[in-house]
Amino acid sequence: MTTVIKNAFPVICGQEVCRRDITIKDGKIFSVGSDQSTDGAMVIDAEGGYVFPGFIDEHVHGGGGADFMDAEPEAFETAVKAHLKHGTTQLLPTAMTATREDLLAFVGAFKEFKAGSKYGKNTPGIHLEGPYFSGANAKSTGAQKNLLMRAPDPEEIDSILNASQGYLLRWDAAPDVDTACVFARKMRDNGIICSMAHSAATSEQAQKGIDNGYNHVTHYYNAVTTYHKKDQTV
């Protein structure tokens, strides 16, 4: 099947944004240029609108009224379809700080969704935000559940890694918790993005984390205690 998008302004890295036609064959962009042939094609008039590549969201907790922590395949499908409607074509369903049982349920629901839904191709893997946060300062906890924050547990980590079967692509933790560097090395050894998040770490603790495998930052400048007045609440 061939589709031609007419009167569009495609946004292409390194190229001038100007009016062009886009020809799509069998679901893939075939060519971009002026006066593309429309013989036998379905024609869409973009009416001078911009055409962007699909967005990628590596940190998203739900959508369309569904939360990924509902741990139900239907919740995953509802949320993914909601984001697709608004241009996000690839996303990582994200879990919150939770009990081991709830995290494993989240992983299980994702795998069931991935295997059984046509939208599974839009979710290459999952992202865990927590539970290994310090909770040392209320201003850095955000929406995370303070009482469930804890230091990395090797047995728990292994159980989640085993359950995820390679789908775990990113895991956030605070570099100032006990054994944070051991956790970071474990993530590095498994090819998982290790991101600093919800932390009260000093610059020295952060640098030590980077040296051991942290390679990303979550919510940079969001609730960073240094940038808040003492009497300010978040």
Side-chain angles (χ1 to χ4, degrees):
M1 179 178 176
T2 299
T3 302
V4 178
I5 302 176
K6 305 286 288 185
N7 301 318
F9 282 83
V11 178
I12 303 173
C13 183
Q15 297 187 21
E16 179 184 1
V17 178
C18 58
R19 190 183 296 270
R20 297 175 181 173
D21 297 341
I22 305 169
T23 299
I24 301 169
K25 291 186 177 182
D26 298 324
K28 295 183 179 180
I29 294 176
F30 179 75
S31 60
V32 178
S34 301
D35 300 320
Q36 299 280 295
S37 173
T38 59
D39 291 344
M42 181 177 72
V43 178
I44 298 174
D45 187 351
E47 300 180 347
Y50 292 97
V51 178
F52 290 86
F55 298 119
I56 299 172
D57 194 340
E58 64 177 48
H59 183 163
V60 54
H61 291 285
D67 190 317
F68 291 126
M69 291 305 290
D70 292 341
E72 297 175 349
E74 296 78 12
F76 280 78
E77 180 146 339
T78 296
V80 171
K81 288 169 66 175
H83 286 277
L84 276 170
K85 183 178 179 181
H86 296 283
T88 298
T89 57
Q90 293 284 294
L91 58 87
L92 299 186
T94 301
M96 298 282 286
T97 291
T99 64
R100 182 190 308 197
E101 291 73 22
D102 285 344
L103 291 175
L104 289 173
F106 162 85
V107 172
F110 168 78
K111 290 192 296 183
E112 189 175 343
F113 159 75
K114 182 77 173 173
S117 172
K118 68 178 182 179
Y119 299 102
K121 63 182 182 295
N122 301 104
T123 55
I126 54 176
H127 165 211
L128 301 186
E129 187 182 14
Y132 308 133
F133 297 139
S134 64
N137 188 302
K139 292 180 179 179
S140 65
T141 61
Q144 302 293 326
K145 296 180 180 179
N146 188 288
L147 294 178
L148 294 178
M149 294 180 182
R150 51 197 182 270
D153 177 344
E155 196 276 329
E156 179 177 67
I157 292 168
D158 285 341
S159 69
I160 292 173
L161 288 176
N162 291 335
S164 67
Q165 296 179 326
Y167 284 124
L168 179 53
L169 303 183
R170 171 178 162 184
W171 200 336
D172 301 355
D176 50 311
V177 298
D178 292 340
T179 69
C181 290
V182 175
F183 171 80
R185 291 195 295 272
K186 182 84 170 182
M187 296 302 101
R188 182 173 59 192
D189 291 345
N190 282 273
I192 296 169
I193 294 171
C194 187
S195 184
M196 298 183 186
H198 296 283
S199 167
T202 64
S203 58
E204 291 80 8
Q205 288 171 318
Q207 184 59 59
K208 187 175 180 181
I210 292 169
D211 293 341
N212 281 273
Y214 281 89
N215 56 7
H216 196 58
V217 177
T218 302
H219 300 315
Y220 196 54
Y221 283 126
N222 181 13
V224 175
T225 53
T226 305
Y227 292 88
H228 291 278
K229 297 179 181 179
K230 291 182 178 180
D231 59 347
Q232 184 177 358
T233 57
V234 177

